[in-house]
Amino acid sequence: MRVKKQKRHRKIVRFYTACFGFRQPYKVICDGTFVYHLIANQITPADNALATTLAASVKLFTTKCVIDELKGLGESHSEALQAAHKLTVARCEHERKKSADACIMDVIGEKNPEHFFVATQDVDLRKKLQEVPGVPLIFGLRNALFLEQPSTFQRQFVKASEEGRSRMTQSEYKMLKKRAKDILETEEIRDSSNEDEDVGDQNLELQTVKKGDNARKQMGVKDKPQFKRKRAKGPNPLSCKKKKSHENPSMVSGKESKDGDNSVSRNRTRKRSRKGKNLVETGS
């Protein structure tokens, strides 16, 4: 049970720190009923008890109107009055004295800018503070302290504020429109200046080219070097193959046979001439 209560309290504290910007050490403003409850149930020291409830360091505050109210209650609340004098007194801006609950409502204001935790046993005061965004409430039950759950009004306020942050306000829309207009004007000016520079550069280039051409004409220098075109030459005759004659195989075989007969007859005449020479030489 104790662990569940601590988890619940941490979750509530995380809600207020994330949605309303509460920071450590947490400031707790106490009224007379809460101080009296602490002393009656011997919940001392009070700062340690509240620190364990919020799981963080705390600073305790009260107001002058709360102290004056405890004075008017007599000796029955003398111990509570002494304990209230030890707390830090928060500044209340009203000149005349008010009741303790009215004074605390003035200190909290419409949106609790000082980020106070309010510790009270007054049920009516807690109901009033539930209608104020960003006001966590602490109350005591016997010898234990509890942190009240955020009210439905506070949760709806957080949801509506988140939706409002996601949307653009009229002032932001006007500022964005003005910036877009300024950016477009600056871009147009840059484009026009760049075009003028490009035109000037082109004119300068044309003038320099014309001057160069005139100087070349005066000096008799041609604009471009003239090269002789290489004409296509015929094929190399040495690298070309000879044409093959396409003759009939019968004709070729007849020529070969004639050539063979002629060569045989020639060989025979050569042999005969050689024999005749040999006989002449031997006879001599």
Side-chain angles (χ1 to χ4, degrees):
M1 192 71 181
R2 196 172 185 181
V3 174
K4 288 183 181 179
K5 186 177 79 171
Q6 288 177 355
K7 286 183 178 179
R8 186 170 65 251
H9 288 173
R10 287 175 185 172
K11 189 175 181 180
I12 296 167
V13 172
R14 203 178 299 122
F15 170 80
Y16 285 104
T17 54
C19 300
F20 296 100
F22 282 72
R23 295 289 179 269
Q24 298 183 22
Y26 299 125
K27 295 187 287 186
V28 182
I29 188 167
C30 307
D31 69 344
T33 58
F34 186 76
V35 175
Y36 180 78
H37 178 81
L38 292 176
I39 291 168
N41 291 279
Q42 297 180 355
I43 304 172
T44 54
D47 52 354
N48 290 340
L50 288 166
T52 53
T53 302
L54 301 179
S57 57
V58 296
K59 285 184 179 181
L60 303 182
F61 292 83
T62 190
T63 63
K64 289 181 180 180
C65 297
V66 171
I67 293 171
D68 294 336
E69 189 177 68
L70 287 172
K71 283 180 182 179
L73 293 174
E75 294 182 358
S76 60
H77 291 74
S78 59
E79 292 183 5
L81 179 62
Q82 291 177 1
H85 277 297
K86 295 178 182 178
L87 304 179
T88 305
V89 178
R91 185 183 296 176
C92 50
E93 296 179 355
H94 49 269
E95 295 178 358
R96 297 180 181 179
K97 292 181 181 179
K98 289 186 177 181
S99 61
D101 55 350
C103 180
I104 289 173
M105 289 294 294
D106 287 342
V107 172
I108 295 301
E110 294 181 356
K111 293 184 179 180
N112 192 13
E114 295 294 329
H115 299 105
F116 279 116
F117 283 76
V118 179
T120 180
Q121 296 296 112
D122 191 350
V123 178
D124 295 332
L125 180 58
R126 280 189 291 177
K127 286 181 180 179
K128 290 178 183 178
L129 291 171
Q130 285 176 355
E131 301 298 322
V132 181
V135 183
L137 300 172
I138 301 170
F139 64 95
L141 187 62
R142 295 179 184 175
N143 59 351
L145 300 178
F146 292 90
L147 184 61
E148 195 170 337
Q149 290 282 349
S151 62
T152 54
F153 173 80
Q154 292 177 349
R155 293 185 184 276
Q156 289 176 0
F157 178 83
V158 171
K159 189 176 180 179
S161 62
E162 287 179 355
E163 290 178 356
R165 288 173 190 170
S166 63
R167 294 175 182 175
M168 190 181 295
T169 60
Q170 291 182 355
S171 59
E172 290 175 348
Y173 177 74
K174 288 179 181 179
M175 289 174 66
L176 182 63
K177 194 174 181 181
K178 188 177 179 182
R179 285 184 181 179
K181 190 176 180 181
D182 295 337
I183 290 166
L184 289 172
E185 288 177 355
T186 52
E187 287 180 353
E188 288 177 358
I189 292 166
R190 286 178 184 174
D191 293 337
S192 61
S193 62
N194 290 330
E195 287 177 359
D196 294 337
E197 289 178 357
D198 293 337
V199 170
D201 293 337
Q202 289 177 0
N203 291 328
L204 287 172
E205 289 178 358
L206 290 171
Q207 289 175 3
T208 53
V209 169
K210 286 179 180 179
K211 287 180 181 179
D213 293 339
N214 293 328
R216 285 176 180 174
K217 286 178 181 179
Q218 290 175 2
M219 295 176 70
V221 179
K222 294 182 179 181
D223 293 336
K224 293 182 180 179
Q226 293 181 355
F227 298 98
K228 291 182 179 180
R229 292 183 179 178
K230 292 182 179 180
R231 295 180 180 178
K233 295 180 180 181
N236 189 358
L238 298 175
S239 64
C240 294
K241 292 182 179 180
K242 292 180 180 180
K243 292 182 179 180
K244 294 181 179 180
S245 60
H246 299 284
E247 296 178 354
N248 291 325
S250 60
M251 296 288 290
V252 174
S253 61
K255 287 181 180 180
E256 286 180 356
S257 60
K258 288 179 181 179
D259 292 337
D261 295 337
N262 292 328
S263 61
V264 170
S265 60
R266 287 174 185 174
N267 290 328
R268 286 178 180 176
T269 54
R270 285 178 185 176
K271 288 180 180 180
R272 287 176 183 175
S273 61
R274 285 178 184 176
K275 287 180 180 180
K277 286 180 181 181
N278 291 327
L279 288 171
V280 172
E281 288 177 358
T282 51
S284 61

